[in-house]
Amino acid sequence: MPSFFTVRGQTEAFLRPESGAPLTVNQQVVCGAVAGIAVSFLACPNADMDTSLNWKETKKRKRRQIKDVHQ
């Protein structure tokens, strides 16, 4: 998940008051939440397409099985 850590790093840089300063717990939570949301938007369409393709393939396979049984 390189994109998760990329977004998290960018959010940390945005929230950090000065270079090298540690983030507060609340800022850490915000960084994780922003990165999680961003990765969800990136990964969701891919997962949806994969699910759709698997469903279509399963449907075709079942039709072939039914044809084979009736022949």
Side-chain angles (χ1 to χ4, degrees), residues 5-68:
F5 295 108
T6 301
V7 174
R8 181 172 167 76
Q10 291 172 344
T11 308
E12 283 182 13
F14 178 76
L15 292 177
R16 191 167 277 142
E18 58 187 53
S19 182
L23 295 177
T24 65
V25 173
N26 288 340
Q27 288 172 324
Q28 293 280 354
V29 170
V30 170
C31 289
V34 169
I37 291 168
V39 170
S40 293
F41 279 107
L42 293 172
C44 186
N46 187 25
D48 287 345
M49 287 188 316
D50 187 39
T51 301
S52 177
L53 291 173
N54 286 337
W55 181 79
K56 288 177 184 177
E57 184 59 34
T58 302
K59 193 174 176 181
K60 285 180 187 176
R61 193 177 312 123
K62 285 184 179 181
R63 283 184 186 158
R64 276 188 247 130
Q65 289 172 348
I66 291 171
K67 272 185 168 178
D68 291 343

